[in-house]
């Protein structure tokens, strides 16, 4: 838009100069006609004023085919408004995403715009590799104030902004109503409404539902220990534990509170109320009483599940509930060849209109979209009230999971020692001490 502004100013000055040099009535009429035509065709007017130099932008994602198709449609729409700008969407598998992005950034071959998760932001933001996009706050048409503030914290540093979220799904509990009813149990939502939805009640229900000889289990937190952070962090928080100290300079998991949380999880495994680590059992099979997952899974289960189910908020622990929110955002690499054009495209795909389109797959970051009748009533189930109680009304208090520039190495150490705990080759307390000794040097 900066280029557009300069070109437009030049046009205005040129017209003024021609007029001052004795322009006649015909010239004035022609100019008025041109202005009227432009006013009736704003996109074309913008295009005409912009540079005609071809611009090719690349955007990397880890999404599904349907999600990529949506971004391809947005790119085509943008291209109609800006014929000289084309956007290519590149898919990088999630498992390789952060490492590949790091290599591309180091070799200055990174895409212009990237999807980025909360785990990746510290590495690239602290490394000075992301573009400061604070200027979006001053664009009245962009309506920056519409974005829920808690979803922006991961992208803020020293008063500057380095990205815009597109998905901030809170975590909820999916539960199989048939299994709860078959065992004469109150459902998680019923317990929540009574004020009794706690981790102790969750454990009782899990043990009551489980019939491992039939392949039925009460609850599932994690698929394997390598994704421990997805669901063990909220349990650790609920018991009063933390991952790091406040300024992320000390490892903080070596505490009785964290040990209690891990031992609760291990107890579920030992009693076979939780599937074995690595077992590929998913909620839609109907053999799990509960599954702790992001609320975005509702879109998948609506079409696949043939039993009665619902969602509930996370249970309370000794220290209440801290709601973790997942995170996906857009950032621009500082070495992008066309940073101004990349920023305009970022604003386009995250404006109100297109945030509503992206909300087909993700929990929107804009309040006007999240609480719109169109979004809340898009699906009949789970009900609007349940979705608000279990998820959306908690977004303002949501906390993005902690991370660190050395997260990959930290994650490896936690996973290694968590495996040792779960295999019974060491005690929880011994493993937490080993984690502390090995991870603290990574925080210096």
């Amino acid at each position: 838009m900066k280029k557009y502004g300069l070109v437009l100013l030049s046009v205005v000055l040129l017209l003024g100069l021609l007029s001052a040099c004795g322009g006649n009535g015909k010239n004035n009429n022609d100019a008025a006609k041109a202005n009227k035509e432009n006013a009736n065709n704003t996109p074309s007017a913008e295009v005409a004023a912009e540079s005609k130099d071809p611009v090719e932008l690349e955007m990397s994602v880890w999404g599904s085919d349907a999600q990529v198709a949506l971004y391809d449609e947005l790119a085509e729409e943008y291209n109609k408004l800006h014929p000289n700008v084309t956007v290519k969407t590149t898919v990088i598998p999630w498992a390789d995403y952060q490492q590949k992005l790091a290599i591309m950034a180091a070799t200055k071959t990174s895409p212009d715009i990237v999807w980025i998760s909360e785990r990746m932001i510290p590495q690239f933001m602290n490394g000075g590799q992301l573009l400061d996009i604070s200027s979006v706050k001053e664009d009245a048409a962009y309506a920056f104030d519409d974005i829920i503030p808690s979803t922006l914290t991961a992208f803020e540093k020293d008063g500057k902004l380095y990205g815009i979220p597109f998905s901030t799904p809170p975590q909820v509990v999916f539960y199989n109503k048939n299994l709860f009813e078959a065992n004469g149990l109150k459902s998680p939502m019923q317990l929540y409404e009574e004020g009794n939805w706690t981790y102790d009640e969750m454990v009782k229900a899990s043990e009551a539902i489980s019939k491992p000889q039939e392949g039925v289990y009460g609850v599932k937190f994690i698929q394997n220990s390598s994704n421990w952070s997805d669901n063990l962090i909220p349990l650790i928080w609920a018991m009063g534990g933390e991952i790091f100290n406040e300024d992320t300079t000390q490892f903080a998991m070596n505490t009785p509170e964290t040990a209690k949380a891990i031992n609760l999880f291990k107890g579920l495994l030992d009693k076979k109320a939780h599937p074995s680590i690595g077992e590929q059992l998913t909620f839609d099979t109907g053999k799990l009483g509960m599954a702790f997952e992001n609320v975005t899974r509702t879109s998948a289960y609506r079409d696949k599940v043939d039993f009665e189910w619902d969602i509930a908020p996370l249970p309370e622990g000794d220290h209440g509930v801290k709601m973790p929110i997942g995170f996906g955002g857009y950032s621009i690499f500082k070495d992008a060849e066309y940073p101004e054009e990349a920023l305009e495209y970022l604003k386009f795909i995250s404006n109100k209109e297109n945030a509503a389109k992206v909300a087909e797959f993700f929990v929107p970051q804009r309040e006007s979209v999240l609480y719109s009748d169109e979004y809340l009533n898009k699906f009949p189930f789970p009900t609007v009230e349940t979705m608000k109680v279990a998820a959306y009304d908690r977004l303002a208090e949501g906390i993005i999971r902690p991370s660190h520039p050395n997260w990959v190495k930290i994650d490896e150490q936690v996973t290694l020692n968590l495996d040792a705990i779960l295999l019974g080759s060491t005690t929880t307390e011994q493993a937490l001490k080993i984690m502390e000794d090995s991870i603290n040097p990574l925080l210096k």
Side-chain angles (χ1 to χ4, degrees):
M1 294 305 289
K2 182 178 178 182
K3 290 179 180 178
Y4 164 62
L6 290 171
V7 175
L8 181 60
L9 179 61
S10 300
V11 171
V12 171
L13 291 172
L14 179 60
L15 289 174
L17 181 61
L18 289 173
S19 176
C21 290
N24 56 29
K26 182 178 182 303
N27 287 338
N28 290 339
N29 290 338
D30 289 345
K33 183 180 179 181
N35 288 337
K36 183 178 179 181
E37 289 175 350
N38 287 340
N40 291 333
N41 192 6
T42 302
S44 296
E46 289 190 7
V47 169
E50 285 184 334
S51 168
K52 293 296 184 183
D53 294 338
V55 172
E56 294 183 0
L57 300 176
E58 183 178 1
M59 176 174 168
S60 69
V61 306
W62 60 76
S64 66
D65 291 345
Q67 292 161 357
V68 172
L70 172 60
Y71 281 92
D72 284 342
E73 290 176 11
L74 292 175
E76 289 180 14
E77 186 178 338
Y78 192 77
N79 180 244
K80 290 177 182 176
L81 297 172
H82 307 268
N84 65 315
V85 180
T86 56
V87 184
K88 176 185 176 184
T89 305
T90 301
V91 179
I92 302 175
W94 168 254
D96 305 324
Y97 196 90
Q98 186 168 0
Q99 186 177 11
K100 282 196 173 183
L101 217 55
I103 294 172
M104 295 167 82
T107 56
K108 300 188 184 304
T109 58
S110 58
D112 303 275
I113 307 168
V114 295
W115 276 15
I116 193 166
S117 76
E118 76 275 6
R119 291 281 176 269
M120 306 168 192
I121 296 170
Q123 176 180 348
F124 298 114
M125 184 167 68
N126 293 355
Q129 293 169 306
L130 300 184
L131 185 72
D132 174 12
I133 62 166
S134 302
S135 63
V136 299
K137 300 178 183 178
E138 312 304 323
D139 185 343
Y142 184 66
F144 179 79
D145 291 344
D146 185 39
I147 299 174
I148 298 170
S150 64
T151 68
L152 289 163
T153 54
F155 277 127
E156 296 170 330
K157 183 182 179 185
D158 300 330
K160 296 179 180 177
L161 184 70
Y162 293 92
I164 295 292
F166 63 82
S167 178
T168 53
Q171 195 170 52
V172 299
V173 179
F174 289 80
Y175 64 94
N176 184 322
K177 296 175 74 172
N178 296 151
L179 288 178
F180 273 83
E181 291 169 1
N183 288 280
L185 299 169
K186 291 181 178 178
S187 74
M189 186 55 86
Q190 286 174 316
L191 289 168
Y192 171 79
E193 291 170 346
E194 293 176 359
N196 295 318
W197 181 223
T198 64
Y199 275 98
D200 287 342
E201 292 297 327
M202 184 277 291
V203 170
K204 291 178 186 175
S206 298
E207 293 176 358
I209 290 171
S210 292
K211 294 180 177 57
Q213 67 278 12
E214 299 176 13
V216 176
Y217 298 89
V219 65
K220 185 171 184 178
F221 279 97
I222 58 178
Q223 188 79 21
N224 54 63
S225 50
S226 65
N227 63 357
W228 66 274
S229 59
D230 287 351
N231 291 325
L232 285 190
I233 285 179
L235 174 58
I236 291 170
W237 282 344
M239 295 304 169
E242 290 289 349
I243 310 303
F244 305 117
N245 65 349
E246 191 170 347
D247 60 1
T248 325
T249 56
Q250 292 288 321
F251 184 69
M253 284 177 61
N254 187 16
T255 63
E257 291 80 8
T258 300
K260 181 176 182 178
I262 293 176
N263 287 337
L264 184 154
F265 173 53
K266 187 173 188 300
L268 290 166
L269 280 167
D270 291 344
K271 294 177 182 177
K272 298 189 183 303
H274 188 292
S276 300
I277 294 298
E279 187 170 345
Q280 304 295 315
L281 185 64
T282 54
F283 181 69
D284 54 294
T285 62
K287 294 188 174 183
L288 286 174
M290 293 168 277
F292 285 57
E293 300 186 59
N294 281 340
V295 72
T296 50
R297 293 297 297 169
T298 54
S299 59
Y301 295 147
R302 284 190 189 101
D303 299 329
K304 293 179 64 177
V305 173
D306 59 0
F307 53 86
E308 296 291 322
W309 62 279
D310 208 336
I311 62 172
L314 296 184
E316 286 190 26
D318 296 345
H319 291 256
V321 178
K322 287 186 179 180
M323 169 69 80
I325 54 178
F327 194 87
Y330 308 114
S331 283
I332 298 170
F333 271 99
K334 187 180 284 184
D335 291 327
E337 186 175 1
Y338 303 104
E340 292 184 12
E341 289 81 358
L343 179 56
E344 287 306 310
Y345 187 66
L346 183 152
K347 288 160 63 177
F348 173 77
I349 57 178
S350 61
N351 65 22
K352 283 186 180 181
E353 179 182 358
N354 291 322
K357 295 178 181 175
V358 173
E360 178 180 352
F361 300 105
F362 306 112
V363 176
Q365 84 283 15
R366 286 186 174 275
E367 192 168 345
S368 62
V369 179
L370 179 64
Y371 292 106
S372 66
D373 288 342
E374 182 179 0
Y375 179 74
L376 291 175
N377 295 300
K378 188 170 185 177
F379 301 103
F381 184 80
T383 65
V384 171
E385 189 57 35
T386 297
M387 291 292 275
K388 292 181 69 174
V389 168
Y392 299 155
D393 284 351
R394 295 161 175 259
L395 268 179
E397 300 172 355
I399 304 172
I400 295 174
R401 293 178 183 84
S403 189
H404 186 275
N406 273 336
W407 178 259
V408 174
K409 294 179 180 177
I410 294 166
D411 188 41
E412 288 174 354
Q413 287 299 318
V414 174
T415 300
L416 180 68
N417 287 285
L418 186 58
D419 279 339
I421 296 171
L422 301 181
L423 290 171
S425 59
T426 185
T427 67
T428 302
E429 289 73 16
Q430 289 171 333
L432 287 174
K433 181 65 170 67
I434 295 171
M435 289 186 209
E436 182 178 50
D437 292 342
S438 59
I439 291 175
N440 268 337
L442 299 173
L443 304 178
K444 303 301 182 184

